[in-house]
Amino acid sequence: MIKVLFVCLGNICRSPMAQFVFKHMIEERGLAEQFEIDSAATESYNEMCHAGIHHGTREILKSMHVPFEEHYSRRIRPRDYAYYDYILAMDDSNIEDIQSIVGVDTDNKIHRLLDFANKPRNIKYPWYTGNFDETYWDIVEGCDAFLKHLKL
């Protein structure tokens, strides 16, 4: 079983979008039994508020026919580093924050999602841009590249 944790700042926009896009991709390929997938935040505010998926993320997933279920923000914890095989961040600042929480990445588990793509880069934060379409297509690109990296 390959365990993947997607991580962003608040776990209401990008990381749950990546969680459900990736889950949909592997289900379409008949690989769902080979994975455990979740998402988390680097900040605890949304967890304390019991925040769910942002309406912009919900809307883009619906429009792209990507199934999703209720998800509530949770903060990444030090024990997640030992549990997950891959911790996939949305941007550079997420990586810094993840490492401040879990410690040094001695096992090379922490990457930006788009590090696996032909053009490695950060995934823009739609909370600030309002452009959930752009974020969605970056996440699709990253998830597809990650699957190719796994050679499944």
Side-chain angles (χ1 to χ4, degrees):
M1 172 107 19
I2 301 169
K3 294 175 274 192
V4 181
L5 182 66
F6 294 99
V7 180
C8 68
L9 179 66
N11 192 218
I12 62 171
C13 295
R14 295 174 294 172
S15 60
M17 187 185 298
Q19 174 185 353
F20 294 114
V21 165
F22 190 68
K23 184 176 180 180
H24 184 58
M25 283 181 173
I26 62 170
E27 286 174 355
E28 285 185 325
R29 290 167 173 83
L31 301 171
E33 298 299 319
Q34 296 180 41
F35 288 90
E36 181 178 333
I37 305 160
D38 200 1
S39 62
T42 59
E43 294 296 326
S44 60
Y45 178 78
N46 287 331
E47 181 178 37
M48 291 185 302
C49 296
H50 198 62
I53 300 171
H54 188 280
H55 64 87
T57 295
R58 288 177 180 276
E59 291 307 311
I60 192 69
L61 292 174
K62 283 179 190 174
S63 72
M64 296 301 183
H65 308 287
V66 175
F68 63 93
E69 60 226 22
E70 197 58 59
H71 173 83
Y72 294 100
S73 177
R74 76 165 185 91
R75 188 170 192 227
I76 189 171
R77 291 163 175 73
R79 68 178 175 262
D80 289 327
Y81 186 80
Y83 186 77
Y84 287 94
D85 301 307
Y86 293 92
I87 299 174
L88 303 178
M90 301 298 118
D91 61 40
D92 292 324
S93 64
N94 297 152
I95 288 182
E96 291 172 16
D97 293 341
I98 292 165
Q99 289 175 333
S100 73
I101 295 166
V102 304
V104 178
D105 184 16
T106 55
D107 297 328
N108 196 33
K109 294 181 175 190
I110 303 170
H111 307 275
R112 288 181 309 176
L113 178 57
L114 282 171
D115 283 345
F116 300 97
N118 290 333
K119 289 175 34 184
R121 62 196 183 280
N122 290 331
I123 293 175
K124 290 183 182 151
Y125 194 4
W127 179 266
Y128 298 115
T129 68
N131 193 338
F132 285 83
D133 291 343
E134 179 181 43
T135 300
Y136 174 82
W137 289 113
D138 279 352
I139 285 172
V140 167
E141 179 183 348
C143 288
D144 187 55
F146 177 59
L147 265 178
K148 288 177 181 160
H149 167 79
L150 296 174
K151 297 178 171 75
L152 297 175

